[in-house]
Amino acid sequence: MKKRQIISILGSVSLSFCLALDMSAEEMMNHNSSKESHQGFQTIEQPVALRVAIAIGGLSLMAAQLWWFLGSKPKAQQAEIQDGVQEVTITVDGGYTPSLVTVKRGQPVRLQFDRRDPSSCLEKVLFPEFHVAEDLVLNQTTPVEFTPQTVGIFQFSCGMGMFHGAIAVEN
Ligand SMILES: [Cu+2]
């Protein structure tokens, strides 16, 4: 829910930003052309380069937003039960995939963190609610185990809180 709000705020802010830029460009052009007619100047160039720059800027901003929106969509995955343990493999590469894992309450969970990202940012994974702080070895799979006792959504993150994932505990 929070993420959606951020997206909509970001969207409206950048949209108004684009509109404001476009309007100011238009204004400048109108201003220039009125100058032309009043003073008879023919040599004032229209700021074509400026217009193009604004168009490119706006488009790339929109593309960035789209990428961010699509890229940050959580990919939910239900843990599979094997020998009474709910197990799921999470790939650690520029974030966590899946970033949302659904598990059942009261049953042991084993998350297999497959770390492929050499960035030191992702060398630790923290589960504050489950009192877990695990070091992830590069190019290895590190299991994280706990048994969720309460229903809810519990976040996990890298050591610095830059990348996030969540465990949804259901009845
Ligand atoms: Cu980090």
Side-chain angles (χ1 to χ4, degrees):
M1 232 210 307
K2 264 183 195 162
K3 213 166 224 175
R4 280 222 183 117
Q5 281 173 335
I6 293 167
I7 288 164
S8 60
I9 289 166
L10 203 84
S12 53
V13 165
S14 61
L15 192 72
S16 49
F17 181 69
C18 287
L19 285 175
L21 271 180
D22 207 40
M23 260 152 63
S24 65
E26 210 111 16
E27 230 170 82
M28 263 165 80
M29 278 163 69
N30 286 342
H31 190 64
N32 282 352
S33 54
S34 66
K35 237 189 210 166
E36 266 176 61
S37 55
H38 281 302
Q39 302 175 358
F41 274 79
Q42 300 293 323
T43 50
I44 294 171
E45 278 176 37
Q46 299 223 324
V48 173
L50 187 73
R51 273 229 105 161
V52 169
I54 286 164
I56 289 170
L59 279 175
S60 54
L61 211 70
M62 274 156 68
Q65 254 176 272
L66 200 72
W67 171 83
W68 195 74
F69 176 69
L70 293 175
S72 63
K73 249 187 192 172
K75 295 164 198 97
Q77 192 174 317
Q78 178 93 42
E80 274 174 42
I81 298 163
Q82 287 173 353
D83 302 321
V85 179
Q86 311 182 77
E87 199 172 289
V88 73
T89 299
I90 298 176
T91 303
V92 182
D93 194 357
Y96 303 103
T97 312
S99 57
L100 181 62
V101 175
T102 310
V103 298
K104 291 213 159 55
R105 185 178 73 94
Q107 213 167 16
V109 171
R110 186 183 299 130
L111 304 173
Q112 299 280 16
F113 281 92
D114 179 9
R115 183 179 165 209
R116 297 183 195 167
D117 195 324
S119 155
S120 64
C121 180
L122 289 157
E123 70 191 359
K124 236 182 188 17
V125 67
L126 308 176
F127 289 77
E129 276 90 357
F130 303 110
H131 307 288
V132 170
E134 198 69 50
D135 288 313
L136 305 179
V137 182
L138 185 59
N139 297 322
Q140 276 187 37
T141 300
T142 309
V144 168
E145 291 174 32
F146 54 87
T147 304
Q149 301 294 3
T150 43
V151 168
I153 291 175
F154 304 98
Q155 291 232 4
F156 61 90
S157 70
C158 70
M160 289 150 274
M162 290 143 94
F163 291 101
H164 292 270
I167 306 298
V169 182
E170 295 174 344
N171 259 322

